[in-house]
Amino acid sequence: MTTAAARMKELVETLTQASRAYYQEDREIMDDRRYDQLYRELEDLERQTGITLAGSPTITVGYEALEELPKEAHEFPMLSLDKTKDIETLRSFIGPHRTLLSWKLDGLTIVLTYENGSLSKAVTRGNGLVGEVITNNARVFANLPLKIPYTGRLVLRGEAVISYQDFAKINEQIGDADARYKNPRNLCSGSVRQLNNEITAKRNVHFYAFALVSAPDIGFEDSHEKEMDFLTDQGFQIVEYRVVTGDTLDAAMEYFSAQITEHDIPSDGLVALYDSISYGLSLGSTSKFPRNSFAFKWADEIRETTLEEIEWSPSRTGLINPVAIFSPVELEGTTVSRASVHNISILEELELGIGDTIQVYKANMIIPQIAENLTRSKNLTIPRICPACRGETQIAQDTDVRVLRCPNPDCPAKKIKSFTLFVSRDALNIEGLSEATLEKFIGRGFLQDFADLFAIGQYKDAIIDMDGFGEKSYENLMENLEKARTTTLPRVLYSLGIPGIGLANARLICRHFDQDMEQIMGADEEEVSSIDGIGPVLAQNLTAYFSRPENKELWERLRQQLDIQSEKGPTDNTLEGKTFVITGNLERFANRKELKELIESKGGKVTGTVTGKTDCLINNNAASNSSKNKKARELDIPVISEKEFIDTYAPEAADTQ
């Protein structure tokens, strides 16, 4: 095999892997700029040699449909668009022809079919020939008309997208930083291709039409613009466009260039389409590209800067991800100083070294990336020590890339959930410490255990310089930490994350042992299990936890940082020995927690399940056939309303309700 043929084979394999990861697995192993470079190299080699290998991405389109959704062949096959980043190439394509210049939206292309005025089918683009049927999901797109005035058979294409604003909101709701979506396109792809359209409905997916494929018996005066007007009349939102010629292109480009930085709908470029339908059809197509349209991708704004550091950031999965820290530069209107390098394979491909001159840009004008390393010193050393736990690291092969891992099962970075529980409202209640922030602190080695949170001030300068922080955020954090120092023993016991020990159980345990942690740590299973409401399983979990010397040492370190005050016991003991279950909607109390706290303040207990030990079920709808009501009737347990509870057990609360 010649050198050129061998290189072509390598390029086909590399580009195919990148496409499969991006389109089918919603993950990124190569940025767009690198993909385009390799794609152009493959095109050049194919032209030089006259050889096109089977499976080459230059003759295949898109991704294969997944097995989980039904597949269907497209009635009208779809081709990709030829593209350029050069405005003069775009101008040459447009020439004197009246042309529609529109956003090239970055979501998931969908083909819709309407019959008798109703949506009958929705299919993803797939590989251009076969797509996935997602009709039920399309029915819950936020802006899609399910019925339209036109009663003939209508076929159209458009892009399903999720706005940057909705993308940010959805990611904020995902507590697990590793589970968050990397960009709106990945989120949209996952949302549209769901098996359960309830999930799709919650994602606020929008559809923007960009092409009418078929509408028999309707005349459009040989104009694609008239087709867009028709789709608008049918109730569809269409992609924004401008009508241009080569002579008027500059004004439209200035408009789109100014809009892209504030455009809430993801876009990775523009599409030019000849307005004349007949002229466009007369041009035909190549094996891959139609000749009536052309894509323009934004030329990346590239800045040179100096690589100052590689920060190795551990995560809860055990991966330690490299992040490039470089001298700050202005890109697309914002100052950036860091960019993810993703994994060791990319780091080695770029041959990075401290002090190297690198070129950086924002992929799709959003995500900072390294475009090129101009000096390639290769002077980096892969860390042998995890920055979070100081244990030895391992280099591993993860599918098609090399990654750095921490194999230590007790690494603090893997215990991010434990830290998240520790700072939660019912535990130490430390505001301003999201899971993402905790992960950053752990990744930088600031936190080894819970006690370290209260000594975080020693890293003031580094915290203020972190993304998303600043002087004010740091001051707020320190104030919240100071407030959290004053707490109660049940909150601390709950915050340790002992399996099964919730706040209510922690209160029972602390009351039994007179708010004395030394007694709790020294108790045996038999004594703990004798506490009403605890039982043998929780007793075993508690004693097993404190049987480990490292957990006792953790408590000692933590105790020195806290001002633990006695929790107020019951204001009276009128409900001591009584067990209640609360269900249904409440009217006199703000929520179940408020009623539960009242019961506990009087020495009673609240559980979630009706059993033979339950004294009363509190439910304002005593006649309902809920499972708890049925169980109460079977066991001859009284079902009482809030009013009846107050009248019988807490008359002093009547005046406040």
Side-chain angles (χ1 to χ4, degrees):
M1 182 180 288
T2 65
T3 302
R7 177 58 177 162
M8 288 165 60
K9 183 175 184 296
E10 180 183 349
L11 288 169
V12 168
E13 291 174 352
T14 301
L15 292 170
T16 300
Q17 285 178 354
S19 294
R20 184 184 300 115
Y22 186 78
Y23 287 108
Q24 290 184 251
E25 300 166 10
D26 292 334
R27 63 190 183 93
E28 188 172 316
I29 63 174
M30 180 186 301
D31 62 58
D32 289 346
R33 183 181 180 84
R34 181 60 176 162
Y35 184 92
D36 290 343
Q37 288 175 341
L38 298 182
Y39 188 95
R40 287 194 296 271
E41 181 184 351
L42 179 59
E43 282 185 316
D44 291 342
L45 287 172
E46 288 179 346
R47 279 194 295 268
Q48 294 169 16
T49 63
I51 299 171
T52 301
L53 298 174
S56 170
T58 64
I59 59 168
T60 57
V61 184
Y63 63 93
E64 293 298 322
L66 300 179
E67 295 293 336
E68 286 84 352
L69 292 168
K71 297 186 211 177
E72 183 170 306
H74 289 296
E75 181 181 357
F76 304 94
M78 303 174 65
L79 298 176
S80 294
L81 297 180
D82 201 358
K83 60 182 179 289
T84 184
K85 291 186 177 182
D86 177 32
I87 191 171
E88 294 308 316
T89 302
L90 180 65
R91 192 192 311 278
S92 177
F93 167 81
I94 294 171
H97 304 290
R98 194 173 191 272
T99 301
L100 306 187
L101 187 66
S102 65
W103 293 113
K104 184 176 181 293
L105 300 184
D106 191 19
L108 199 66
T109 300
I110 308 293
V111 182
L112 302 178
T113 301
Y114 285 75
E115 297 186 77
N116 299 317
S118 298
L119 176 65
S120 62
K121 186 167 54 181
V123 184
T124 67
R125 182 182 185 280
N127 65 1
L129 300 175
V130 177
E132 301 158 304
V133 180
I134 48 95
T135 310
N136 287 338
N137 295 342
R139 293 185 193 281
V140 297
F141 288 173
N143 65 333
L144 190 68
L146 299 182
K147 291 188 176 293
I148 60 174
Y150 179 67
T151 56
R153 189 171 187 274
L154 172 67
V155 182
L156 70 151
R157 295 170 183 158
E159 199 82 354
V161 296
I162 290 178
S163 70
Y164 285 116
Q165 185 175 2
D166 287 328
F167 168 72
K169 288 179 181 177
I170 291 168
N171 259 354
E172 285 174 4
Q173 296 167 6
I174 301 174
D176 183 348
D178 280 344
R180 291 176 184 154
Y181 293 89
K182 296 187 183 303
N183 54 59
R185 187 213 168 275
N186 282 1
L187 173 59
C188 184
S189 177
S191 301
V192 170
R193 295 153 69 196
Q194 286 286 333
L195 299 180
N196 180 356
N197 69 352
E198 288 185 17
I199 298 174
T200 307
K202 294 175 182 177
R203 299 287 174 80
N204 204 26
V205 178
H206 282 67
F207 177 87
Y208 293 89
F210 60 67
L212 188 150
V213 179
S214 174
D217 305 323
I218 300 290
F220 297 106
E221 303 174 28
D222 193 35
S223 169
H224 282 300
E225 185 175 22
K226 297 294 184 183
E227 291 180 336
M228 300 298 274
D229 292 341
F230 169 75
L231 290 176
T232 300
D233 291 341
Q234 300 306 306
F236 296 99
Q237 281 190 261
I238 61 170
V239 63
E240 184 184 9
Y241 68 88
R242 292 286 187 273
V243 178
V244 301
T245 64
D247 292 336
T248 62
L249 175 63
D250 290 337
M253 293 298 291
E254 287 178 10
Y255 168 78
F256 284 114
S257 297
Q259 289 292 311
I260 186 61
T261 56
E262 299 180 359
H263 203 231
D264 197 35
I265 303 170
S267 168
D268 57 359
L270 303 172
V271 174
L273 170 70
Y274 293 138
D275 183 46
S276 172
I277 299 172
S278 60
Y279 177 69
L281 290 173
S282 73
L283 298 176
S285 63
T286 69
S287 61
K288 186 175 181 182
F289 305 125
R291 292 193 173 100
N292 69 338
S293 53
F294 206 80
F296 173 85
K297 295 193 73 174
W298 302 108
D300 301 314
E301 182 180 359
I302 295 178
R303 293 284 183 269
E304 282 189 13
T305 184
T306 302
L307 181 65
E308 297 179 347
E309 177 189 355
I310 291 292
E311 177 185 288
W312 294 90
S313 178
S315 70
R316 66 169 186 82
T317 63
L319 286 177
I320 305 176
N321 302 308
V323 178
I325 311 298
F326 45 82
S327 301
V329 291
E330 289 288 324
L331 279 177
E332 313 294 353
T334 62
T335 301
V336 296
S337 60
R338 54 196 292 123
S340 175
V341 189
H342 302 294
N343 52 59
I344 292 177
S345 293
I346 293 177
L347 183 141
E348 290 176 338
E349 182 183 342
L350 288 168
E351 298 180 337
L352 290 173
I354 305 304
D356 278 350
T357 300
I358 59 175
Q359 293 179 329
V360 294
Y361 73 107
K362 282 188 176 180
N364 291 337
M365 306 179 109
I366 301 296
I367 304 169
Q369 302 278 352
I370 297 177
E372 185 57 85
N373 180 9
L374 301 180
T375 47
R376 295 182 173 265
S377 68
K378 295 193 294 186
N379 66 19
L380 285 179
T381 301
I382 307 299
R384 295 182 178 181
I385 301 297
C386 171
C389 70
R390 314 311 298 172
E392 289 190 11
T393 60
Q394 292 178 349
I395 296 176
Q397 191 74 22
D398 185 1
T399 312
D400 40 19
V401 297
R402 291 191 344 130
V403 297
L404 188 65
R405 291 188 181 279
C406 174
N408 176 13
D410 295 320
C411 178
K414 296 181 182 179
K415 297 181 178 179
I416 184 66
K417 296 296 184 187
S418 300
F419 279 91
T420 303
L421 171 65
F422 183 81
V423 304
S424 66
R425 185 181 61 182
D426 287 341
L428 270 290
N429 193 24
I430 306 173
E431 296 180 7
L433 280 176
S434 66
E435 185 168 314
T437 299
L438 286 167
E439 189 163 9
K440 289 178 183 177
F441 286 175
I442 292 169
R444 296 192 178 198
F446 298 168
L447 303 177
Q448 300 292 324
D449 61 40
F450 300 145
D452 292 336
L453 275 168
F454 298 95
I456 200 95
Q458 63 184 303
Y459 303 108
K460 176 181 178 179
D461 292 341
I463 292 173
I464 290 174
D465 289 340
M466 283 172 52
D467 286 347
F469 259 81
E471 188 78 39
K472 184 62 176 175
S473 296
Y474 172 80
E475 290 175 359
N476 290 338
L477 173 60
M478 298 310 291
E479 288 178 10
N480 292 332
L481 282 167
E482 196 59 36
K483 277 193 286 186
R485 288 182 187 274
T486 302
T487 186
T488 62
L489 191 61
R491 283 180 172 270
V492 179
L493 183 60
Y494 167 61
S495 76
L496 298 177
I498 301 170
I501 306 296
L503 183 56
N505 290 330
R507 284 195 173 113
L508 293 175
I509 293 168
C510 291
R511 286 176 192 167
H512 178 83
F513 290 104
D514 298 323
Q515 309 292 322
D516 187 337
M517 193 64 161
E518 294 300 322
Q519 289 189 49
I520 295 172
M521 290 193 295
D524 58 27
E525 283 187 41
E526 184 178 356
E527 183 175 7
V528 178
S529 63
S530 70
I531 302 172
D532 189 24
I534 299 301
V537 174
L538 296 186
Q540 183 180 33
N541 291 345
L542 182 75
T543 55
Y545 179 87
F546 285 117
S547 69
R548 299 176 64 183
E550 61 269 28
N551 289 333
K552 290 183 177 179
E553 291 171 6
L554 168 63
W555 159 249
E556 287 300 322
R557 290 193 297 275
L558 187 56
R559 181 178 61 82
Q560 294 171 19
Q561 299 291 340
L562 301 176
D563 176 14
I564 300 176
Q565 300 185 349
S566 295
E567 184 173 76
K568 292 180 180 179
T571 55
D572 61 54
N573 291 314
T574 55
L575 296 183
E576 187 172 358
K578 290 191 176 294
T579 301
F580 297 83
V581 174
I582 307 169
T583 191
N585 295 322
L586 299 180
E587 298 170 357
R588 295 169 177 252
F589 292 88
N591 48 49
R592 294 182 191 178
K593 182 180 179 183
E594 184 178 295
L595 176 53
K596 178 183 176 183
E597 288 177 349
L598 174 61
I599 292 171
E600 290 178 345
S601 73
K602 299 170 76 65
K605 184 171 68 171
V606 177
T607 64
T609 306
V610 176
T611 69
K613 294 183 178 181
T614 303
D615 289 285
C616 287
L617 171 64
I618 303 173
N619 187 351
N620 285 326
N621 185 1
S624 81
N625 285 317
S626 70
S627 61
K628 289 179 180 176
N629 276 30
K630 289 179 180 178
K631 190 68 174 177
R633 285 195 288 268
E634 288 174 10
L635 299 174
D636 199 24
I637 292 169
V639 180
I640 63 175
S641 67
E642 286 172 274
K643 183 179 184 304
E644 290 171 321
F645 168 80
I646 292 171
D647 290 345
T648 305
Y649 298 106
E652 76 283 357
D655 295 335
T656 63
Q657 301 305 314

